[in-house]
Structure formats: structure tokens, C-alpha cells
Amino acid sequence: MTKFDLNDDNVVVIIGSGAGGGTLANELAQKGVKSVVLEAGKRFDLSDIENDEWAMFQKISWLDKRYSGGGWHGAVNHPTLPAWIVKGYGGSTIHWAGVALRFKDFEFKTRSTYGEIDGANVEDWPIDLAEMTPWYEKAELKMGVTGRTTGMPHLPWNNGFRVLAEGCRRTGRSDYRSGPMAINSVERDGRPACQQIGFCMQGCAIGAKWSTMYTELPRAEDTGNCEVRTDAMVLRIEHDDAGKVNAVVYADSEGNQHRQKARVVCVAGNSIESPRMLLNSASAMFPDGLANSSGQVGKNYMNHTTGGVYAVLPEKVHMHRGTSVAGIVGDEVYHDASRGFSGGYYLEFLSLGLPFMAAFLEPGNTGWGRSVAGALENYDRMSGVWVLGEDLAQERNAITLHGSETDQYGLPVPVVSKTPHNNDYEMTAHMYETSAQIYEAVGATDVYELPAYPATHNMGTNRMHADPAKGVVNAYGQTHDIDNLFVSDGSQFTSSAACNPTLTIVALAIRQAEYIAQEMNAQNI
Amino acid sequence: MTIRFHRRGKEKGGSAAMNRRMFLMTTTLAGVTTNAMLGSASFASSAVLDEAQGASLLRMIQDIYPHPDVLQVSHYEAIAATVMKNAEADAATASGLTDGLARIDAKAQELFGTPYTGIEDPDAREGLLRHFQDEGFFQGVRWTAYFGIYDNKEVWPLFGYEGSSVEHGGYIDRGFSDITFVPEGPTLEERMADVQA
């Protein structure tokens, strides 16, 4: 396995190995660009994957100290778990369910489409769908997304989705299907077809679902152009007297510090760790943190406007059999101000195992008693959806550093603040009502509303904007302030759209790799 | 306070089952649990709780997740034994538990003129416990009960949950799409046509 010298100042240092960092590493490696990937977590492989919700939560989650703040229920019910993401080789691509949706055109242009919204900080991206379409196609081919780009059929429908789909049909809907999913429906690219195992969110035990853990990262390493160092927690990014970044300091599993020199640094640690690194790297030249002349680093944290809806059907469903997100309803993804909110939302079938159903049906201290127990006795007759819609950027929703408390690495603990906007309340009410109507059309006897889970979709906090005063990075994820410092994950999103972010993160990483290689060749960075 | 129903469903044919469940909860088990538990060696030998407190703990666990039609008293006794074992291993946990159970009884005396286990109405018992639900001892018992029931592979089949499937080759040949009360999904040919149109 290739090893680069700590003093090799010709490497690109990529921080994070998930959808953004892992993809970028492989794309650069295939082009001959040398990189060192620093991954805070352990090295995982397929043998680590178990069909067990809590066992996998304990094994792969990012459980380092962090706090939930703001006015969302999670500040009370999930006070130390604002986000449920992965710390390890492959990042959150181990945990994701495989939904691979593209943004709609208007979702890149939210300011132009919605206008100014009180209390929100909505802006347009500096790129649009036409620009992104070829990159989406490259991402779909790379990941193996069912649908027209690859020609792979969408997956067969499982029981839980069949119930949802029939409710959609009976309520006059038409945009419901079992894809696009980055899950093989046939053998492809050296990976097997889906066996309807379930537990997609706990990691696919056979590798049918795309994850950087067994695609991008090993392929990057195999070229000899990429070294992935696991158990490498980045403490700070350093710069030279000219203000260019030139090294990354990290701690290994024993707490020993190392300093890897770098020609280019790409930050891809998810929307909490990425701004946290930039803020922690404040210096005399950059007193507010790196790349933060706009003051927008850490701001505009978005996840999704979300909730769960579980319906009790007249007969057994066994929703746990088969893919976790077995189908997607797209009928509600449009903007119509007369609905009382801006943006749209998806309904995605989502099965939960009994342990998680019992934990999330009513999270927090009150989630016990006769009503909860009675509902759980209907477990095998349930079908349900995860509803997710656009979350508007707000400055007050932010990643900040705790004033006094530090974590095991000695870094200030991040505080993740989220307070819903009125738009969220209006949209959520609409989501719940729509979902209930769909399930009642197939005979649901009870419908339960679940509040948002700890966020797996994290976006914003280093957002893209054409104007350096309003955003952190340009259209290529390059920071406005420092030419050789890039943001390569979902933190560069300007808006959250309604869809799951992974496909867009991957598409942006492929595009960014092309740009970085070109700029390095031209000696611009 | 309780689970959020979107609209509470109409009780049609299901009301008979619900009535039976309510009947069991309010009568049979209320009597069975307290009486059957007395004299149980595992509780009598606890170094932390006396017999009356052991009875309160068992009643409390049943009130936290009442499943009289699904679980046996032995399932709840196993959870109570785990709570006691944890208390024996940690003095702070033990004093929190004994103090908490004493305060539940005191509150029961104040409101109903009887110890907690003497309250026959399950709603009244749940309402009483709600006073204590934000306290550490209560959540300790609650999460022990949670893991003992909903994360217990031996209990899962009683709820119709089948758990790990990878060792059985997934559900692809084991009923992932076998229900009959809604139409089948599209065939492979239809799904192929959908992506090639």
C-alpha cells in the first residue's frame, strides 16, 4: 500500500472518506493526482456489517461529544446527538439507504423562485441543473443508480411500498416508483444484485448498495496514487505567510500529533466537522477562521424538513422485509406558494426494525406507557414513510464552538443549533396530512406522526455563492478566500432541496476533481 | 405526553380485541403480577430491594411497557432482575432506585391512599408514574425495559419482527412481496420498460 511522506508537499490532503471525500480521492487518483485521505474513524470492511440496528449504531456512528441547540425537539430529546452520521472508512455512505435523486431546476434557484423570505437566508446556487446534468449522469454511472442512465431496472416492490403505492394510486398520484436507487438490481460493476436483506441503513452486508467503503476508496488505493489514513482526526489546517494552506495537523489513535504537508486541502467531513475545522484553524491572519471573510462559515445549517408517518393496516405487512427505502413518491415536489409554504417534499417508504420503531415512535422521556406499547403491538401491520422536504437556510441555524468544553482531542465541542422556520411547520403539517390521506385510502386504522430523527442529511455551513460576501465557496467548491482550500461535501450546498443529498455531493465531487486537476496542471494552485 | 396519532382510528371490529386487552390489563394481570411475584427467589434474594419494593419494581416495568397479551410475567421478571443486578453493582443506582420507589409509594398514598401496587386502575398507575418520568431512576428502569423487550431477539417473534436476514439469503425468496390485500408491483418487464422508454 502506498505511503506518502509527511513532508511531501505535493499531495492533495482530503479530510473525510464519505460521499464527497471518497469520490474525490478516487477521481483524483484515476487522473494521476496524488492524495492523502485523513479519516477520523476506523477502517471497516464488509465483515463488520451486521443486521442489527443498535449493534451497528454503536459500531459506526459518530458519537464524539457534540450538543444539540436551538428550538427543535431534538435539543430536548437528542441533546447530544444532533446528527446520526458515521465515523469510519466510507463515512456516511455505509449508513445511507441508496436514494439517488437529482435536484429539480428550481431547487438550485430558490431565491429567484421563492423571493425573499422573512427570517430565512435563501440564495441561488451559482450553478444550475443544465450545468449539473452531465455530472449527475457521471455520478449515476459511477454509483450504479437504477434508471435510464444505467439501464438498470428499479428494484421489485416490497410489501411496505406496495401499500404506499396503492394509497398513492387511489388518491390520484402518479409519481411513485422503486427508484432511482444506488442499489444494484442486477449484478453490476463487480457487485451483486440486491437480495432484499433489509438493514440498508446499517450497511449493506453484500455490497449491493454503493458505498465508498468498497468502491471508491479501495479503487483509489489500488492506483498507488492515494493513501487513506484511518484513525486520523484533524485538529487544524495550517497556512503559510502568503495565506495559502500548506499542512494539516492530525491526531492518531494514540493521540500522537502528525503534520502532513499539502499542496491543496479539501474538507469533506460533513456539515458539522467541516466548518468546525475551518473555525478551529483561526490564526492571526484569519482570526475568524479559515475562508470566513463572509462570516458565513458554520451558518445556514440545513438538514431537511422532516418527520415520519407510520400507518397501521388491516392486514400484516412485514415492512422490515426488503430494502429499507423501497420506494419514493415525488408528486409533492414542486413550489406553489398557495400551499402555504415554499418548496416541496418527498415521501420515501422507510422501514424501521422493532428496536428503532420503539425508540422513535415517541422519542424522549415520554415515550412509554399504554399508547406506545399498544401501537407497537401493531408492528407487523405497519407501513410508513420518511417525509423530507426543503429546509430553508437560516443564519441562526449554525455550527458553533463551545466556549469552554473540549472533546477527547482537546478541540472545542461543536454545538449544532436548529430552530424550525414557520415554513417548516406549514410544510410538516401538509406532509403529515398527505401521508395520512394516502394510508387511509388503503384502510389504515391508525396513523402515527413521528418527529424528526437526528439528522442524517446535513447541508449548508460552507455554502456556495457567486458573491464572496454571501458564501464561503465558488461554483467549484473552492473557497473564495484561499485558492488551494476546497470544500468537497454537502456543507457547500446553497439550498437543501427536497431530495437526499448524496447524488449531488458525488456529482459535485466528480466535477471538482476535474477542476482541481486542471488548476494544478495550470499551476494556478 | 403520549404518542401522536394523526387521527385516532375508529374502533370497528377491533374493539373486541381492545376490550379484551383492557380487561386483561385492568383485572387479570393486576392481580397475577403482584401475587405471582411474591415468593420468587430471585426477588427475595435481592440485596437492594425488599419484597415490597421488588413488587413495585415489577409492577412499574409492566406499566412502562404493558403487553399483557404478548409477554409473560417471566419476561418482566427478567427485566426486574437486570435492574436489581445493576443496582447491586452500583451504590448510587441502588439508592436512586430505592428512593424513587419510596417516593412513588408516597405519592400513591397522597393521591389514592394506597401503595402504588394497590392501585387497580392502570391509567391511574401510569398517571402516577408520569410524575417521575424525567428522573434518572425512572429512565434507567425504562431503558432497561426497552432493551429487554424491543431489542431482545427472543421476544422479537412475538411482535412479528424477524430480525437479521443476511444469513438466510435476505428476504428475496422469503416473502418480501407476498401480501394480497393490495395489487402486486410491476413485473421485471414493466420495470425494464420504465427505465428504457
Side-chain angles (χ1 to χ4, degrees):
Chain A
M1 207 175 284
T2 313
K3 289 209 181 297
F4 291 103
D5 193 277
L6 288 170
N7 288 314
D8 187 338
D9 58 5
N10 199 37
V11 295
V12 175
V13 173
I14 299 169
I15 306 168
S17 67
T23 301
L24 182 64
N26 190 27
E27 287 288 306
L28 290 177
Q30 301 300 331
K31 294 176 195 304
V33 177
K34 301 192 182 323
S35 71
V36 173
V37 176
L38 299 175
E39 166 53 54
K42 295 189 179 73
R43 192 170 277 263
F44 294 121
D45 61 35
L46 281 179
S47 67
D48 290 304
I49 305 298
E50 298 173 62
N51 284 184
D52 186 317
E53 291 179 319
W54 280 118
M56 288 308 294
F57 175 83
Q58 290 297 339
K59 190 183 289 188
I60 65 176
S61 299
W62 190 294
L63 297 174
D64 294 357
K65 222 183 252 185
R66 49 174 60 156
Y67 291 115
S68 300
W72 77 298
H73 82 91
V76 175
N77 292 334
H78 307 291
T80 58
L81 192 75
W84 180 359
I85 55 175
V86 174
K87 182 179 183 179
Y89 182 87
S92 296
T93 66
I94 301 173
H95 164 74
W96 81 310
V99 179
L101 291 159
R102 300 182 186 186
F103 271 48
K104 307 277 188 192
D105 192 35
F106 77 89
E107 292 176 320
F108 285 108
K109 300 169 179 166
T110 49
R111 177 62 178 254
S112 304
T113 310
Y114 308 160
E116 189 169 345
I117 298 173
D118 275 354
N121 191 14
V122 177
E123 292 292 338
D124 289 353
W125 293 58
I127 44 178
D128 61 11
L129 183 61
E131 161 67 24
M132 285 298 290
T133 297
W135 304 101
Y136 273 139
E137 287 172 359
K138 287 179 204 290
E140 287 162 353
L141 287 169
K142 170 191 286 290
M143 300 161 84
V145 175
T146 62
R148 291 181 189 182
T149 305
T150 61
M152 261 200 296
H154 298 315
L155 292 158
W157 293 13
N158 74 8
N159 290 333
F161 180 55
R162 283 170 54 198
V163 174
L164 177 68
E166 179 61 7
C168 287
R169 190 187 69 79
R170 291 186 192 177
T171 54
R173 291 180 166 77
S174 58
D175 185 7
Y176 48 89
R177 41 182 58 83
S178 56
M181 300 293 293
I183 297 177
N184 279 352
S185 58
V186 295
E187 274 186 44
R188 182 183 181 278
D189 197 27
R191 293 183 287 123
C194 174
Q195 301 298 300
Q196 300 289 337
I197 293 167
F199 297 94
C200 307
M201 309 284 285
Q202 283 67 45
C204 181
I206 61 170
K209 178 189 77 179
W210 179 82
S211 168
T212 59
M213 180 178 96
Y214 38 74
T215 59
E216 310 306 313
L217 294 170
R219 287 173 191 183
E221 290 176 299
D222 285 348
T223 63
N225 293 326
C226 178
E227 178 191 352
V228 183
R229 289 182 205 153
T230 48
D231 289 304
M233 177 69 186
V234 170
L235 306 176
R236 66 182 178 278
I237 301 162
E238 295 185 339
H239 61 81
D240 62 18
D241 293 343
K244 302 286 179 209
V245 292
N246 63 358
V248 176
V249 177
Y250 64 94
D252 65 21
S253 59
E254 275 135 33
N256 300 315
Q257 292 193 13
H258 307 274
R259 184 174 184 273
Q260 173 65 53
K261 288 188 179 176
R263 176 170 168 188
V264 173
V265 174
C266 300
V267 177
N270 205 304
S271 286
I272 300 173
E273 293 305 314
S274 288
R276 184 189 186 205
M277 278 183 260
L278 299 181
L279 295 172
N280 272 329
S281 301
S283 66
M285 190 181 283
F286 300 107
D288 299 323
L290 296 184
N292 196 20
S293 65
S294 63
Q296 294 290 304
V297 170
K299 304 274 178 67
N300 311 305
Y301 170 66
M302 299 174 285
N303 37 49
H304 269 131
T305 305
T306 181
V309 176
Y310 284 82
V312 178
L313 282 306
E315 297 184 29
K316 290 198 173 165
V317 177
H318 300 299
M319 69 168 164
H320 59 275
R321 295 181 185 171
T323 45
S324 300
V325 177
I328 301 159
V329 183
D331 289 281
E332 305 298 329
V333 188
Y334 59 94
H335 172 67
D336 175 2
S338 75
R339 290 199 290 184
F341 53 88
S342 295
Y345 60 90
Y346 284 96
L347 284 74
E348 299 180 353
F349 170 81
L350 176 64
S351 66
L352 297 177
L354 182 68
F356 280 2
M357 195 74 228
F360 292 118
L361 185 63
E362 194 197 345
N365 288 355
T366 60
W368 60 275
R370 295 213 291 168
S371 61
V372 168
L376 292 169
E377 291 186 9
N378 297 320
Y379 174 78
D380 59 2
R381 291 193 287 131
M382 287 183 190
S383 172
V385 294
W386 187 35
V387 283
L388 63 158
E390 174 147 18
D391 177 21
L392 303 180
Q394 302 179 66
E395 278 206 13
R396 65 176 174 175
N397 290 343
I399 312 307
T400 52
L401 305 179
H402 196 282
S404 56
E405 201 171 336
T406 55
D407 67 7
Q408 72 269 39
Y409 305 105
L411 299 172
V413 174
V415 180
V416 181
S417 295
K418 176 78 199 283
T419 301
H421 188 275
N422 279 344
N423 201 71
D424 297 284
Y425 292 116
E426 295 291 335
M427 185 187 281
T428 311
H430 200 273
M431 291 167 160
Y432 285 141
E433 178 59 24
T434 299
S435 307
Q437 285 180 10
I438 289 170
Y439 277 116
E440 283 167 354
V442 274
T445 52
D446 277 317
V447 178
Y448 310 120
E449 295 177 358
L450 281 60
Y453 311 122
T456 49
H457 297 171
N458 297 286
M459 296 161 281
T461 73
N462 290 312
R463 78 173 176 195
M464 209 182 254
H465 203 289
D467 180 352
K470 292 183 175 173
V472 179
V473 300
N474 67 16
Y476 294 97
Q478 182 178 30
T479 62
H480 284 299
D481 298 352
I482 302 174
D483 287 346
N484 65 341
L485 175 62
F486 287 77
V487 173
S488 314
D489 59 14
S491 69
Q492 62 187 315
F493 282 27
T494 313
S495 65
S496 68
C499 64
N500 312 51
T502 308
L503 181 74
T504 303
I505 294 172
V506 173
L508 288 171
I510 299 170
R511 182 169 173 272
Q512 185 181 69
E514 192 105 338
Y515 179 78
I516 288 174
Q518 169 201 308
E519 292 295 286
M520 286 175 78
N521 283 336
Q523 301 296 320
N524 290 333
I525 52 175
Chain B
M1 198 65 163
T2 55
I3 181 174
R4 289 166 63 190
F5 288 85
H6 185 81
R7 277 185 283 277
R8 195 172 279 271
K10 292 185 276 298
E11 287 192 22
K12 291 173 289 188
S15 61
M18 185 56 79
N19 285 342
R20 178 169 169 268
R21 185 174 300 156
M22 289 302 162
F23 172 78
L24 284 167
M25 274 199 273
T26 53
T27 59
T28 316
L29 266 178
V32 167
T33 51
T34 311
N35 296 331
M37 190 271 309
L38 291 175
S40 164
S42 63
F43 293 92
S45 65
S46 166
V48 175
L49 302 184
D50 62 26
E51 285 191 16
Q53 287 174 320
S56 286
L57 175 64
L58 186 59
R59 177 73 271 167
M60 179 178 160
I61 292 166
Q62 286 174 315
D63 286 339
I64 289 175
Y65 294 119
H67 291 293
D69 285 0
V70 176
L71 301 181
Q72 305 294 317
V73 174
S74 58
H75 291 120
Y76 291 104
E77 287 178 335
I79 293 162
T82 303
V83 173
M84 289 178 179
K85 198 174 151 200
N86 293 340
E88 283 170 19
D90 180 74
T93 304
S95 67
L97 181 63
T98 53
D99 172 66
L101 290 169
R103 285 185 295 122
I104 288 172
D105 266 343
K107 194 78 180 171
Q109 287 287 359
E110 177 192 327
L111 294 175
F112 303 102
T114 173
Y116 162 61
T117 52
I119 303 170
E120 291 194 2
D121 176 2
D123 281 332
R125 289 199 307 273
E126 181 172 324
L128 176 70
L129 293 180
R130 293 276 173 201
H131 289 277
F132 301 91
Q133 69 183 359
D134 292 326
E135 298 193 20
F137 85 94
F138 182 92
Q139 288 297 327
V141 173
R142 179 261 175 116
W143 282 107
T144 305
Y146 165 88
F147 282 103
I149 299 170
Y150 307 117
D151 198 40
N152 182 342
K153 293 179 175 60
E154 287 167 20
V155 170
W156 283 349
L158 304 176
F159 287 89
Y161 180 53
E162 297 162 291
S164 180
S165 82
V166 65
E167 65 274 34
H168 305 297
Y171 287 105
I172 196 157
D173 298 319
R174 298 191 310 127
F176 82 100
S177 189
D178 64 350
I179 57 175
T180 55
F181 69 101
V182 292
E184 291 181 8
T187 62
L188 176 62
E189 290 68 32
E190 287 165 334
R191 286 183 282 115
M192 287 295 289
D194 187 35
V195 301
Q196 291 171 351

